[in-house]
Amino acid sequence: MPNLTSTSQFLLLEFSDIRELQILHFFVFLVIYVTALTGNLLIIIAVVLDHHLHTPMYFFLMNLAVLDLGSVSSMLPKAMFNSLLNTRSISYSGCVAQVFFFYFSGGADFAFLTIMAHDRYVAICCPLQYETIMHEGACIQMAASAWISGILYGILHSGGTFAITFCSNKINQFFCEVPQIIKLSCSDLYLIETGIILFSCGLFGGCFIYIVIIYVKIFATVLRMPSVHGRKKALSTCLPHLTVVSLLLFTGTFSYVRPSDDTSSEINVICAVIYAVLPPLLNPFIYSMRNKDLKAALFKLTDFGPFPQTSTRKVFLVKLV
C-alpha cells in the first residue's frame, strides 16, 4: 500500500449513499447537537447568574458542562456539514484537532468527576471542615489541574496517533476516532498509541476505584444519619454524579473493548454515538432531575424571572456578572 503520511485530508465514513438518508442523518444529529448545546448552556448560565449556586459543587458542574460542550462540538458539526453537503473529507489538521479536543475534554471530564466525588465526600463525611478544605483557592487549583491534565492528555493522544505512518486515508467512522485511525497504520509506530490507550485505561481505572472507595465511605455515613430528610438530601447530590461517572466509564469501556474485527460500519457508528455523544447529551438531564436547587434556577432562567439574592450563603465564584 502507498505511504500516505503526507496526505492533506482523510475520508470519513459516509452514512449512506442515498441522498434522502444523508439529509435525515443531518437532522437527527442537528436535534441531538441542539439539545446537548441547550442543556449544557442552561446549566452554565444558571450557575453564573444564580447566587444560590455559587458553591464548589456547582462550580465544578459548570466546568463539566463547558467540557461537554467542547466534546460534542468537536465532532457533530463536521458530521452534519458532511451529510448536508454530501462529502466525506476532513483536513489533516481538522482530524488532529478532533482527536485533541475529544481526548482533552474526555480527560478533563473524568478529572472533574473525580474532584466532584472528593467534594461530596468532604461535604457529607466532614461537614464541619468543608469550608476550610473546599475554599475558593483550593477549588480553583483543582479546576486548573483538571484543565491542564486534559490538555496534556489531548496532546499525548494526538501526538501518539499522528506519529503513525499511514497507508490509507479512509477512516471507518463519522469522526476521527483513534482506534479506527490506528487501523490505517503500515508501521509498528501504532504500538505507541496502543500503549497510551492501555496507560489511559489504567489511569481511568485507578480514578474509578478511588471514586468507588469514596462512595463506600459516603454511603456508610449516610446510613448512619438519624434524619430521613438528611439522607435523602445527601443522596440527591450523590446519585446524579455516580450515574454520570458510570455512564462515561462504561460507555467508553464498551467502545474500546468491543471486538473490532469484522464489525460493520453501522455497529461502529452506534457504538461511537453511545460513548461520544450520549454522555454530553444526558448529563444536564441527569444532574437537574433530582437537584431541587438547580431545577429552581433553571425554571427561573427559562421564565425570565429575577434571580433571588442571598445574604446568608457565602458567595463562592468570582463575580462574573
Side-chain angles (χ1 to χ4, degrees):
M1 299 178 69
N3 185 340
L4 295 176
T5 303
S6 60
T7 184
S8 60
Q9 67 176 12
F10 290 95
L11 298 178
L12 299 174
L13 178 67
E14 193 174 32
F15 288 111
S16 175
D17 295 328
I18 304 173
R19 185 59 183 154
E20 289 76 11
L21 289 179
Q22 291 178 344
I23 299 299
L24 177 62
H25 282 119
F26 166 78
F27 281 110
V28 169
F29 274 171
L30 179 63
V31 170
I32 292 173
Y33 183 59
V34 170
T35 304
L37 205 67
T38 304
N40 286 289
L41 277 175
L42 282 175
I43 286 182
I44 294 168
I45 296 171
V47 172
V48 169
L49 296 183
D50 192 342
H51 294 286
H52 287 91
L53 303 183
H54 287 187
T55 63
M57 182 178 74
Y58 294 109
F59 171 67
F60 296 135
L61 179 58
M62 181 183 69
N63 280 269
L64 202 65
V66 172
L67 288 167
D68 283 341
L69 281 179
S71 175
V72 76
S73 297
S74 67
M75 66 193 80
L76 286 190
K78 181 59 180 177
M80 291 188 296
F81 179 83
N82 283 0
S83 293
L84 187 63
L85 297 186
N86 191 23
T87 182
R88 300 172 55 191
S89 65
I90 182 172
S91 66
Y92 186 91
S93 59
C95 196
V96 174
Q98 273 198 348
V99 171
F100 170 77
F101 282 109
F102 180 73
Y103 281 96
F104 155 62
S105 57
D109 228 29
F110 210 81
F112 271 109
L113 289 172
T114 307
I115 292 170
M116 291 171 74
H118 176 72
D119 171 71
R120 290 299 83 207
Y121 168 75
V122 176
I124 294 172
C125 300
C126 311
L128 298 179
Q129 300 175 349
Y130 184 74
E131 289 192 6
T132 303
I133 297 174
M134 302 300 295
H135 57 85
E136 182 177 340
C139 291
I140 292 175
Q141 288 177 2
M142 291 179 189
S145 66
W147 283 93
I148 292 171
S149 63
I151 292 171
L152 294 176
Y153 188 64
I155 293 173
L156 189 66
H157 273 286
S158 54
T161 301
F162 292 96
I164 295 172
T165 302
F166 299 116
C167 291
S168 174
N169 67 340
K170 295 180 180 179
I171 301 174
N172 190 32
Q173 190 54 273
F174 70 91
F175 68 100
C176 292
E177 186 186 44
V178 168
Q180 298 298 330
I181 296 176
I182 290 177
K183 291 181 181 180
L184 308 180
S185 172
C186 53
S187 71
D188 291 337
L189 288 175
Y190 77 92
L191 294 174
I192 297 174
E193 178 59 22
T194 303
I196 294 173
I197 291 175
L198 292 176
F199 170 75
S200 302
C201 291
L203 190 64
F204 286 125
C207 290
F208 181 68
I209 292 172
Y210 173 77
I211 293 173
V212 169
I213 294 172
I214 285 293
Y215 271 103
V216 168
K217 295 180 179 180
I218 288 175
F219 289 142
T221 302
V222 169
L223 291 175
R224 291 196 299 267
M225 290 181 177
S227 169
V228 176
H229 175 72
R231 288 198 295 268
K232 287 183 178 180
K233 186 175 181 180
L235 290 175
S236 69
T237 62
C238 292
L239 291 180
H241 174 260
L242 198 57
T243 303
V244 170
V245 171
S246 302
L247 178 67
L248 181 64
L249 190 69
F250 289 120
T251 54
T253 303
F254 169 74
S255 173
Y256 280 93
V257 301
R258 75 183 191 273
S260 57
D261 296 334
D262 301 325
T263 303
S264 66
S265 299
E266 292 79 7
I267 297 298
N268 282 334
V269 170
I270 292 171
C271 290
V273 169
I274 287 174
Y275 86 91
V277 179
L278 210 58
L281 176 66
L282 296 182
N283 285 354
F285 300 99
I286 293 172
Y287 273 109
S288 60
M289 193 175 298
R290 292 179 58 88
N291 192 306
K292 293 181 180 180
D293 292 337
L294 187 56
K295 282 196 291 188
L298 290 173
F299 281 134
K300 290 168 188 170
L301 182 64
T302 53
D303 289 341
F304 300 99
F307 284 90
Q309 303 296 321
T310 177
S311 58
T312 58
R313 297 187 64 173
K314 180 181 177 181
V315 174
F316 168 72
L317 291 177
V318 177
K319 297 293 185 181
L320 297 177
V321 293

